[in-house]
């Protein structure tokens, strides 16, 4: 068990610091963009969606940067992990666990940042425009905010959890697949692209939720089976 914990600790040291740096940059740029627009607003209160324009783009760019970082495995990392006497497949699973935590951290930080920005907006409104429901309605009305914090829409919570698991696993499988066959799997990149497009969510949008859930489950099943084949020493096949 100590060897496995050593692998997890190594992945944490290699990934968490870089991901945390990207999340800090994301939050700083979003606050600067939002605050600059709010401070330049005239006497009439601006619409929240106008102030938030571009925030979803910054979040998507940060997500893609984090995903690319999680997929990357330099040669010296493979050498260090090879000395820990743990199977390559176990290394992939621990990497997947660390990746999923990083992705959940991204969405948690973005949700906290969005709540802070919306609270800033509500505090800037004249009393006749503000109400106790301002934040609540924003997360139901705006698709990007609803995708982050869907309130009573439990299907989106389930979607986000499976996305974090599948994308984390897909990022961990990328270098493993490349080492065995010299090929990069396309499904993780396809799921990442679909996440960027479909993550903003209308209330009760069952179709988009189902699409992302099915893609996530397909990735988990397909490359889970591929990992089992590798563990059993079976020859590499297209996957």
């Amino acid at each position: 068990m100590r060897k496995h914990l050593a692998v997890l600790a190594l992945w944490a040291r290699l990934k968490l610091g870089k991901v945390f740096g990207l999340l800090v940059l994301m939050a700083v740029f979003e606050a600067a963009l939002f605050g600059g627009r709010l401070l330049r607003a005239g006497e009439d209160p601006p619409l929240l969606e106008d102030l938030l324009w571009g925030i979803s783009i910054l979040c998507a760019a940060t997500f893609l940067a984090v995903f690319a970082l999680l997929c990357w495995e330099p040669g010296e990392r493979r050498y260090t992990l090879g000395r820990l006497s743990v199977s390559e497949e176990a290394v992939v699973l621990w990497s997947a666990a660390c990746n999923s935590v990083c992705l959940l951290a991204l969405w948690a930080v973005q949700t906290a940042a969005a709540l802070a920005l919306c609270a800033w907006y509500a505090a800037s409104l004249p009393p006749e425009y503000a109400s106790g429901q301002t934040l609540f309605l924003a997360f139901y009305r705006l698709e990007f905010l609803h995708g982050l914090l869907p309130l009573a829409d439990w299907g989106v919570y389930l979607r986000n959890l499976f996305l974090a698991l599948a994308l984390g696993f897909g990022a961990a499988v990328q270098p493993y697949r490349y080492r065995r066959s010299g090929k990069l799997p396309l499904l993780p990149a396809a799921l990442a692209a679909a996440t960027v497009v479909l993550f903003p969510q209308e209330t009760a949008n069952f179709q988009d939720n189902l699409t992302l859930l099915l893609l996530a489950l397909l990735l988990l099943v397909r490359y889970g089976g591929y990992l089992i084949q590798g563990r059993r020493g079976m020859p590499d096949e297209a996957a």
Side-chain angles (χ1 to χ4, degrees):
M1 188 61 187
R2 289 183 179 179
K3 294 177 181 179
H4 289 274
L5 293 177
V7 172
L8 179 60
L10 179 59
W11 282 128
R13 288 196 301 271
L14 290 169
K15 297 182 180 186
L16 292 181
K18 296 182 180 68
V19 170
F20 178 75
L22 288 172
L23 299 188
V24 170
L25 286 175
M26 177 187 73
V28 169
F29 278 115
E30 289 180 358
L33 180 63
F34 185 92
R37 288 177 178 159
L38 185 60
L39 294 175
R40 290 194 302 270
E43 294 182 1
D44 293 332
L47 294 175
L48 179 58
E49 44 264 52
D50 292 338
L51 296 175
L52 288 174
W53 188 90
I55 300 297
S56 61
I57 297 174
L58 286 172
C59 179
T62 304
F63 163 73
L64 291 175
V66 168
F67 184 72
L69 175 66
L70 298 178
C71 290
W72 182 55
E73 185 181 88
E76 59 269 21
R77 184 183 301 180
R78 294 198 299 269
Y79 175 74
T80 302
L81 290 167
R83 297 171 57 191
L84 294 176
S85 301
V86 175
S87 72
E88 194 174 9
E89 290 73 28
V91 169
V92 171
L93 291 176
W94 285 119
S95 175
C98 187
N99 292 347
S100 296
V101 169
C102 289
L103 292 168
L104 289 173
L106 165 62
W107 289 327
V109 169
Q110 180 60 84
T111 301
L115 284 168
L117 296 178
C118 291
W120 187 2
Y121 171 76
S124 72
L125 291 175
E128 61 270 23
Y129 288 95
S131 74
Q133 300 296 313
T134 300
L135 289 180
F136 178 82
L137 293 175
F139 277 83
Y140 258 119
R141 183 168 53 90
L142 302 180
E143 294 179 7
F144 173 64
L145 298 182
H146 192 68
L148 290 169
L149 186 62
L151 301 175
D153 196 349
W154 291 102
V156 183
Y157 290 112
L158 182 65
R159 179 204 71 173
N160 290 351
L161 176 60
F162 271 92
L163 281 176
L165 293 174
L167 288 165
F169 184 56
V173 165
Q174 291 261 30
Y176 174 80
R177 173 83 167 104
Y178 185 76
R179 287 194 300 273
R180 296 189 76 212
S181 66
K183 301 176 183 178
L184 287 174
L186 298 178
L187 191 53
L191 180 59
T195 299
V196 169
V197 174
L198 299 178
F199 191 86
Q201 189 73 200
E202 294 178 353
T203 304
N205 188 339
F206 178 76
Q207 182 176 352
D208 286 354
N209 268 345
L210 183 61
T211 299
L212 285 176
L213 271 173
L214 289 177
L215 280 173
L217 289 171
L218 175 62
L219 189 151
L220 289 170
V221 171
R222 188 169 186 178
Y223 292 112
Y226 181 76
L227 207 65
I228 292 172
Q229 287 182 358
R231 178 64 175 170
R232 293 174 177 174
M234 297 176 65
D236 185 76
E237 298 177 0

